[in-house]
Amino acid sequence: ASNQMWGGRFASGPDAIMEEINASIDFDRTLFRQDVRGSLAHANMLANTGIITSEDRDKIAQGLNTILGEIENGTFIFSRRLEDIHMNIEARLSELIGPAAGRLHTARSRNDQVAVDFRLWAKEELQRTETALTGLIGAFLDQAEVHADTVMPGFTHLQTAQPVTFGHHCMAYVEMFGRDRSRVRDCIERMDESPLGAAALAGTGFAIDRHQTAESLDFREPTRNSIDSVSDRDFALEFLSLAAICATHLSRLAEEIVIWSTPQFNFVRLSDSFSTGSSIMPQKKNPDAAELVRAKTGRINGALVALLTVMKALPLAYSKDMQEDKEQVFDAAASLELALAAMTGMLRDLTVNGAAMRAAAGSGYSTATDLADWLVREAGLPFRQAHHVTGRAVALAEEKGLDLAALDLADLQAIDAKITAAVFDVLTVDASVRSRTSFGGTAPDQVRRQIAFWRSRL
Ligand code: ARG
C-alpha cells in the first residue's frame, strides 16, 4: 500500500530496505512530548488566526492529549511504516478524531516540525545540563572549603612542581566547569528562537502568527529566515561542542582520580558506593566509575565529529541527512548527564589522605623555587643566578639523599655565602603555600576568597 501521508502520486509502497533506512521512529520517539507540544501550539494559533475552526482545534487538542497519555502509559503502537514520530502521531490522531486531524498540518511541514521539536528538546536538555553542572561545582566548593589548607604537590609534566593545596586544585575545576556552564547558557541564549512556521523552506501563504507560536512555546522570538530555520543544526553542534569540552574536563578529573586512588599515590579514597571489586583479587578496589567517565568522553567527541561530518557541505535547505542528527545528540546527552552525576557522587564521597599528600608535597624538592625566590629577595641575586645556585643546592641534596630543608647551613653557605639560617623558614611546604598570595594563587586566604566568589554565583 502507498503512504497515507504522501501516497497521492505513488503507485506502490516502499521496499522493506527503503523502509528500514528511512525510518527514524526507533529513536525520534524520544521527541513525543515536544511533538505534541508543538502541534498544540500550532493548532491553537491556526484557530486564533481563523485558519481552522475552534471546534477542529478542540478536537485536535483532545486527540493529542489522548495520544500523549497513550505514549506515556505504553499503549501507543509505534509503526515503522509511518517513518517517524510526527507521522505516527498524526496517523493516530486521524484514527481518533477523523478528518479534523488532516487540518493540523496546514501551514506546516515536517521540516519546521522536526526543527521545533528538536530545539525544544535541546533547550530542556541544556537546562538539565546547567543544573547538573551547578551540582558538580557545589560539590567542588564543599571539598575546597574543607581542604583550603590541605597541602599537596602541584604537578607539571606529572612531576612534582610546587606545593599547592587540594582546595586550590579543586577550584581549578570550578573554573573549568564554570566556563562549561556559561557555554551552556550562551547556547540556550542563541538557540532560543522558534523555527515553527517556516514550513517546508519558503514560509507559507496562510496568515499564520509565528510570534504567537514562538511565545506559547517559550521561545524568545521566531527565527528570521525560513530557509535557515529548516537547514540549521547549529544548536545541536553547539550542544555537542560544549558537551565535548565538558567531557574533556571530566576526563582529566577522572584520570587524576584513577591515578590518585592507586596504592602508589594513595592521595584519595573512593567510597565503596563509587568503586567496584575484582572477581579474582580480593584486595582490589577499582575506580570503574572514573574510568567510565574517562571513556564516555570518546563517545561524546565522536558524536560531535559525526554530526559535523553529516552537516559538512550539505546544500540548503533540508536534506534527509539531517535525520542523523538526533541519535548523536541523544547519546551524547545521556552520556554527559550520567558522567556528570557519577562525578558529582564520586566527589561528594571522596576521602582525602592529607598525610600522604603532605608527604608527597615535601618530596621532589618542591620548594626549590622558594629558595631561589629567597635569594632574589633577601640576597639581591638576579633570578637567573638564584636559579643556578638553587640548582646546585638541589644537586647536593640529591647526592646526600636529603630534602632541601635538611641540608646543613654550612653546606648551603659553601654554595653561596649570602645564605643565612633565615632561609629555612621558606623551605617548608606550609610556608611555600602561604607565601603564594598573588591574586588567584594557592595561599589559603586567596583560595577562600575564590570560594566565596563562586558561592555567590551558584
Ligand atoms: N524524520 C525527519 C527528520 O528527523 C523529519 C523531517 C522529514 N522531512 C522530510 N521532508 N522528509 O529529519
Side-chain angles (χ1 to χ4, degrees):
S2 67
N3 189 286
Q4 56 178 300
M5 297 296 161
W6 39 258
R9 81 185 299 286
F10 283 72
S12 72
D15 188 273
I17 295 294
M18 176 63 210
E19 200 168 280
E20 190 176 337
I21 195 170
N22 204 32
S24 54
I25 188 60
D26 293 339
F27 51 86
D28 69 15
R29 63 173 71 184
T30 303
L31 298 175
F32 74 92
R33 279 199 184 82
Q34 292 75 19
D35 197 68
V36 167
R37 191 175 167 208
S39 288
L40 285 170
H42 185 65
N44 248 326
M45 180 277 293
L46 291 177
N48 292 342
T49 51
I51 298 169
I52 66 172
T53 64
S54 50
E55 293 77 57
D56 283 346
R57 186 259 323 271
D58 293 346
K59 279 190 208 156
I60 289 169
Q62 207 188 7
L64 286 171
N65 282 314
T66 304
I67 290 168
L68 193 60
E70 289 176 349
I71 299 178
E72 274 168 351
N73 69 30
T75 56
F76 189 94
I77 298 159
F78 291 100
S79 154
R80 264 203 184 171
R81 202 175 42 77
L82 290 166
E83 221 181 299
D84 57 23
I85 186 63
H86 324 294
M87 299 214 288
N88 268 268
I89 289 179
E90 197 185 319
R92 178 66 183 143
L93 187 64
S94 135
E95 280 173 17
L96 287 172
I97 68 167
R103 299 196 184 278
L104 171 62
H105 214 52
T106 313
R108 187 177 74 170
S109 153
R110 271 189 297 154
N111 296 347
D112 59 336
Q113 189 177 358
V114 73
V116 79
D117 290 5
F118 199 22
R119 275 195 198 229
L120 284 169
W121 187 91
K123 200 172 145 185
E124 289 166 31
E125 183 60 31
L126 283 161
Q127 280 153 354
R128 281 192 288 276
T129 309
E130 184 181 355
T131 305
L133 279 166
T134 300
L136 179 58
I137 292 169
F140 269 116
L141 291 177
D142 291 347
Q143 287 283 9
E145 207 148 76
V146 175
H147 293 292
D149 297 286
T150 304
V151 174
M152 67 174 275
F155 300 95
T156 60
H157 314 267
L158 198 54
Q159 305 286 325
T160 304
Q162 293 174 344
V164 295
T165 66
F166 182 64
H168 194 50
H169 197 91
C170 285
M171 292 307 289
Y173 280 103
V174 167
E175 296 290 334
M176 292 150 79
F177 291 114
R179 285 192 297 275
D180 289 335
R181 194 175 61 161
S182 93
R183 269 184 282 274
V184 169
R185 290 173 178 169
D186 287 351
C187 183
I188 293 176
E189 176 71 17
R190 214 170 356 261
M191 61 100 71
D192 201 8
E193 298 176 349
S194 169
L196 189 60
L201 80 162
T204 174
F206 291 100
I208 59 169
D209 184 348
R210 295 192 56 214
H211 290 84
Q212 193 184 120
T213 46
E215 195 185 346
S216 67
L217 294 171
D218 286 323
F219 285 110
R220 190 180 57 234
E221 58 194 336
T223 51
R224 290 170 189 283
N225 180 290
S226 61
I227 296 175
D228 179 55
S229 303
V230 296
S231 349
D232 165 41
R233 291 294 181 273
D234 287 8
F235 62 94
L237 290 172
E238 276 198 52
F239 171 73
L240 292 175
S241 308
L242 71 87
I245 295 173
C246 180
T248 299
H249 291 156
L250 286 169
S251 78
R252 297 178 77 170
L253 174 61
E255 172 76 355
E256 293 192 324
I257 289 176
V258 169
I259 294 172
W260 292 352
S261 61
T262 57
Q264 287 74 17
F265 262 81
N266 194 24
F267 281 7
V268 297
R269 223 185 53 230
L270 288 167
S271 68
D272 287 354
S273 40
F274 277 99
S275 32
T276 51
S278 158
S279 54
I280 175 169
M281 298 166 282
Q283 87 285 8
K284 290 276 284 208
K285 196 168 162 189
N286 294 328
D288 291 41
E291 295 165 79
L292 285 162
V293 167
R294 191 169 61 181
K296 296 283 184 204
T297 312
R299 291 170 77 123
I300 296 172
N301 290 353
L304 170 62
V305 174
L307 188 56
L308 281 170
T309 311
V310 166
M311 296 308 294
K312 175 190 172 289
L314 209 58
L316 308 187
Y318 178 86
S319 293
K320 198 61 172 261
D321 308 50
M322 291 162 74
Q323 179 166 283
E324 292 284 314
D325 56 2
K326 283 171 280 296
E327 283 168 292
Q328 302 299 339
V329 171
F330 292 161
D331 186 76
S335 301
L336 185 64
E337 253 187 81
L338 191 54
L340 284 168
M343 198 45 102
T344 306
M346 261 185 281
L347 195 66
R348 286 228 166 272
D349 283 12
L350 196 75
T351 317
V352 171
N353 184 348
M357 283 186 173
R358 167 174 289 271
S363 71
Y365 313 106
S366 66
T367 56
T369 314
D370 298 86
L371 173 54
D373 287 349
W374 185 90
L375 288 165
V376 169
R377 220 172 35 242
E378 306 296 329
L381 266 55
F383 182 77
R384 281 293 154 228
Q385 197 189 333
H387 187 288
H388 185 78
V389 168
T390 305
R392 290 185 55 204
V394 168
L396 180 69
E398 207 164 31
E399 194 184 300
K400 296 196 162 192
L402 295 171
D403 284 340
L404 279 179
L407 287 174
D408 284 337
L409 180 59
D411 285 339
L412 286 169
Q413 284 172 334
I415 297 172
D416 193 302
K418 295 204 182 81
I419 295 177
T420 69
V423 80
F424 292 108
D425 291 344
V426 303
L427 295 183
T428 68
V429 291
D430 289 293
S432 171
V433 160
R434 262 198 318 273
S435 74
R436 301 287 196 265
T437 53
S438 55
F439 185 83
T442 197
D445 284 349
Q446 275 301 325
V447 172
R448 290 200 176 88
R449 186 171 160 179
Q450 302 308 335
I451 294 172
F453 170 80
W454 276 102
R455 285 244 183 258
S456 74
R457 302 184 77 193
L458 263 195

